[in-house]
């Protein structure tokens, strides 16, 4: 440990440069768009400091520009996280070929996050695709249990996993109320649930939303 500290004391500028470069490369491996931008921004800041110490001003300018671009995208993405205008909820039939394609394409990832999902939307269930422009970012499947919509699938593609696009199904309470639902209950098997941040209440390992609440679903933080 002492040798490492001595080396860092003598070569801290080199360590700064290598650390920034390593973080830059690591950021490029990220599938999540917001995480990629954030890590890339941090790496750019480190490399700005490194190149400024060495007086390599063209590289300082380059990293300053890329950092500004990353910051702009981060602010834009964070504004869109809970913006209903950025995402569209599309109801699809259970035998819809595109729904089947999405479920098949992401079958392995879906099983990791919601291992009890059957892999198909089954009779008695309803399916919704969440889209951003022409890109599918999530799928929600609910099953009718009287006036309760039981969540069987609430899946987000890896690129948008820092977002919660499923919330736009719950926020549009008219979408579910018009079908006779009065309550939404999530599956206790969903990995890393986000529902407590958008107006659901915890009941054991599940989360519950009453659709008759006058204010609807609150936007998360």
């Amino acid at each position: 440990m002492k040798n490492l500290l001595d080396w860092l004391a003598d070569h801290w500028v080199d360590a700064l440069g290598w650390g920034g470069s390593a973080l830059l490369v690591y950021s490029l491996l990220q599938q999540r768009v917001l995480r990629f931008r954030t890590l890339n921004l941090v790496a750019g800041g480190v490399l700005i400091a490194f190149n400024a110490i060495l007086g390599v001003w063209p590289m300082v300018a380059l990293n300053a520009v890329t950092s500004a671009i990353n910051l702009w995208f981060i602010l834009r993405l964070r504004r869109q996280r809970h913006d209903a205008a950025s995402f569209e909820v599309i109801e699809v039939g259970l035998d819809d070929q595109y729904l089947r394609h999405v479920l098949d394409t992401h079958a392995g990832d879906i099983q990791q996050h919601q291992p009890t999902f059957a892999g198909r939307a089954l009779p008695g269930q309803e399916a919704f695709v969440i889209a951003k422009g022409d890109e599918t970012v999530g799928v929600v499947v609910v099953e009718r249990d009287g006036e309760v919509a039981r969540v069987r699938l609430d899946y987000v593609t890896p690129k948008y996993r820092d977002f919660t696009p499923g919330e736009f199904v719950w926020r549009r309470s008219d979408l579910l109320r018009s079908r006779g639902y009065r309550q939404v209950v999530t599956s206790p098997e969903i990995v890393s649930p986000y529902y407590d941040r958008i107006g659901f209440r915890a009941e054991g390992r599940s989360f519950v939303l009453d659709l008759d609440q006058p204010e609807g679903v609150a936007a998360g933080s």
Side-chain angles (χ1 to χ4, degrees), residues 102-122:
V102 173
L103 295 177
D104 287 344
T105 300
H106 299 282
D109 195 37
I110 289 173
Q111 284 301 305
Q112 286 185 7
H113 291 85
Q114 295 178 232
T116 58
F117 181 64
R120 290 281 187 275
L122 304 175

Side-chain angles (χ1 to χ4, degrees), residues 43-121:
V46 173
L47 291 174
I48 287 172
F50 170 71
N51 286 292
I53 291 170
L54 296 181
V56 185
W57 303 114
M59 294 303 297
V60 170
L62 173 62
N63 284 287
V65 170
T66 59
S67 295
I69 292 171
N70 280 318
L71 182 60
W72 183 84
F73 273 106
I74 288 169
L75 294 174
R76 181 184 177 191
L77 289 168
R78 291 187 67 85
R79 283 196 301 268
Q80 293 177 348
R81 283 179 95 168
H82 307 289
D83 180 9
S86 299
F87 297 89
E88 184 176 0
V89 179
I90 305 167
E91 183 181 9
V92 293
L94 302 185
D95 58 350
D96 186 271
Q97 291 298 313
Y98 185 72
L99 173 64
R100 182 170 299 182
H101 168 74
V102 173
L103 295 177
D104 287 344
T105 300
H106 299 282
D109 195 37
I110 289 173
Q111 284 301 305
Q112 286 185 7
H113 291 85
Q114 295 178 232
T116 58
F117 181 64
R120 290 281 187 275

Side-chain angles (χ1 to χ4, degrees), residues 12-197:
W12 68 271
V13 175
D14 290 339
L16 188 68
W18 282 111
S21 298
L23 186 57
L24 180 64
V25 172
Y26 180 67
S27 73
L28 298 175
L29 300 176
Q30 304 306 305
Q31 288 185 295
R32 301 186 186 186
V33 60
L34 186 56
R35 180 178 296 182
F36 157 68
R37 291 290 180 184
T38 301
L39 291 175
N40 206 269
L41 175 63
V42 174
V46 173
L47 291 174
I48 287 172
F50 170 71
N51 286 292
I53 291 170
L54 296 181
V56 185
W57 303 114
M59 294 303 297
V60 170
L62 173 62
N63 284 287
V65 170
T66 59
S67 295
I69 292 171
N70 280 318
L71 182 60
W72 183 84
F73 273 106
I74 288 169
L75 294 174
R76 181 184 177 191
L77 289 168
R78 291 187 67 85
R79 283 196 301 268
Q80 293 177 348
R81 283 179 95 168
H82 307 289
D83 180 9
S86 299
F87 297 89
E88 184 176 0
V89 179
I90 305 167
E91 183 181 9
V92 293
L94 302 185
D95 58 350
D96 186 271
Q97 291 298 313
Y98 185 72
L99 173 64
R100 182 170 299 182
H101 168 74
V102 173
L103 295 177
D104 287 344
T105 300
H106 299 282
D109 195 37
I110 289 173
Q111 284 301 305
Q112 286 185 7
H113 291 85
Q114 295 178 232
T116 58
F117 181 64
R120 290 281 187 275
L122 304 175
Q125 298 178 345
E126 294 183 272
F128 306 89
V129 170
I130 299 96
K132 180 176 170 58
D134 61 355
E135 184 176 8
T136 298
V137 301
V139 178
V140 168
V141 176
V142 300
E143 183 173 340
R144 180 175 294 278
D145 182 5
E147 294 185 336
V148 176
R150 298 197 176 273
V151 182
R152 297 309 181 201
L153 177 66
D154 186 358
Y155 176 71
V156 182
T157 58
K159 180 178 178 180
Y160 287 92
R161 195 139 301 153
D162 293 317
F163 297 73
T164 53
E167 76 174 272
F168 300 109
V169 176
W170 324 128
R171 186 184 293 182
R172 285 189 54 194
S173 56
D174 62 307
L175 183 70
L176 298 177
R177 275 205 303 262
S178 66
R179 289 164 168 76
Y181 294 116
R182 293 295 177 266
Q183 194 175 71
V184 179
V185 179
T186 70
S187 168
E189 305 300 328
I190 293 178
V191 178
S192 301
Y194 62 92
Y195 303 99
D196 58 330
R197 302 196 300 274

